Amino acid sequence: RACGSDGNTVVAHSGMLASARAVEPEMRQALRALVAQGYKIIFVGHSLGAGVVALIVWLLKHGAGEERLPDRAEIFGVGYATPSVMDFQSAQAMKPYFTSVVNPCDIVPRLTLSSL
């Protein structure tokens, strides 16, 4: 579970959230510099990487403290074969800035706790 400084909370896969939280500080300074110069930032990942990217985008949009980028930041994500990594409400809220591409024959992105 992660709580954002804007009051949002995400219930997420603990391992992928830990990975997102480990990677985000490594990129923080560069991301802030790019945002200050007006760049759009697009993250891309596949499978496990897509799950981590989805959570990185959530942290950058809603995270607490230094995780969150300024509201003017244009941040987007694209995930290929993204596994289910967050609760339904948070996933719905991500629609404007995260796109998940799923092969109709791939079962992994369709697995959820309720489908097991």
Side-chain angles (χ1 to χ4, degrees):
R1 180 179 300 258
C3 298
S5 59
D6 58 359
N8 285 305
T9 300
V10 64
V11 177
H13 183 284
S14 62
M16 290 193 206
L17 181 58
S19 294
R21 283 191 159 149
V23 170
E24 183 275 329
E26 299 292 326
M27 301 182 295
R28 188 178 293 156
Q29 185 176 359
L31 293 173
R32 290 190 178 282
L34 291 169
V35 167
Q37 293 177 29
Y39 283 93
K40 290 182 183 177
I41 300 169
I42 302 172
F43 292 92
V44 179
H46 173 260
S47 195
L48 174 93
V52 173
V53 162
L55 292 168
I56 287 172
V57 171
W58 190 93
L59 290 171
L60 294 173
K61 288 284 193 181
H62 305 287
E66 291 293 310
E67 291 172 337
R68 187 174 180 187
L69 289 178
D71 289 336
R72 72 179 185 283
E74 293 187 74
I75 307 159
F76 305 94
V78 178
Y80 294 91
T82 311
S84 179
V85 296
M86 66 180 66
D87 63 279
F88 181 76
Q89 183 177 349
S90 297
Q92 290 296 106
M94 294 275 289
K95 279 184 171 184
Y97 41 87
F98 192 85
T99 299
S100 186
V101 180
V102 177
N103 179 322
C105 296
D106 191 351
I107 192 171
V108 172
R110 299 181 191 328
L111 290 176
T112 63
L113 286 176
S114 62
S115 72
L116 298 175

